Amino acid sequence: QVQLVESGGGSVRAGESLRLSCAAAGPPLNDYQLGWYRRRPGKERELVARANIRGESIILLDAVKGRFTVSRDNAKNALYLEMNNLNLDDTAEYYCNRASPFFDILWPWGRGTQVTVSS
């Protein structure tokens, strides 16, 4: 069973940057597409971006294109989300997991990491 631990969140001002990390304990993740999700206040969880098996960053939300980049380090069983030029709408709890657009093939969720953006 994969256990996921997200970190790197915090409180920042609009326009600033953060880098989120996801550490996975358990079997190697090399063969899985990995994703970053977020749940904004009062909203459903959404899949923000995914890293395919080759490590390519694929951004799925138009709202973050050009600002977010996802990367992975298979040697460390880790996933990262680089977030630049943050805005108020990026305030959310961020989670990593398998990239599953229909939310039907997932590992147990970690606790997430909170990102709060203020003006």
Side-chain angles (χ1 to χ4, degrees):
Q1 189 72 295
V2 176
Q3 292 181 314
L4 302 165
V5 179
E6 300 90 351
S7 62
S11 296
V12 297
R13 294 288 183 95
E16 294 182 341
S17 300
L18 279 174
R19 186 178 191 238
L20 305 184
S21 298
C22 170
L29 304 183
N30 305 39
D31 295 332
Y32 300 98
Q33 295 200 53
L34 304 175
W36 280 100
Y37 299 75
R38 71 182 184 185
R39 181 161 54 198
R40 294 183 291 163
K43 306 285 188 181
E44 297 292 321
R45 188 153 21 201
E46 56 189 353
L47 179 57
V48 177
R50 63 182 174 91
N52 65 15
I53 294 173
R54 294 183 297 277
E56 296 168 330
S57 174
I58 300 164
I59 304 300
L60 300 169
L61 286 184
D62 287 341
V64 306
K65 282 183 179 177
R67 301 188 296 117
F68 288 16
T69 305
V70 60
S71 61
R72 64 191 295 168
D73 186 337
N74 288 336
K76 295 182 179 180
N77 239 25
L79 184 71
Y80 306 99
L81 184 67
E82 187 76 36
M83 306 186 296
N84 298 313
N85 194 21
L86 287 159
N87 61 50
L88 302 182
D89 288 336
D90 297 320
T91 294
E93 192 83 28
Y94 285 76
Y95 304 83
C96 60
N97 210 307
R98 291 181 65 170
S100 181
F102 299 105
F103 295 79
D104 56 346
I105 307 175
L106 295 165
W107 296 311
W109 292 102
R111 292 187 173 184
T113 186
Q114 176 67 37
V115 172
T116 302
V117 184
S118 61
S119 58

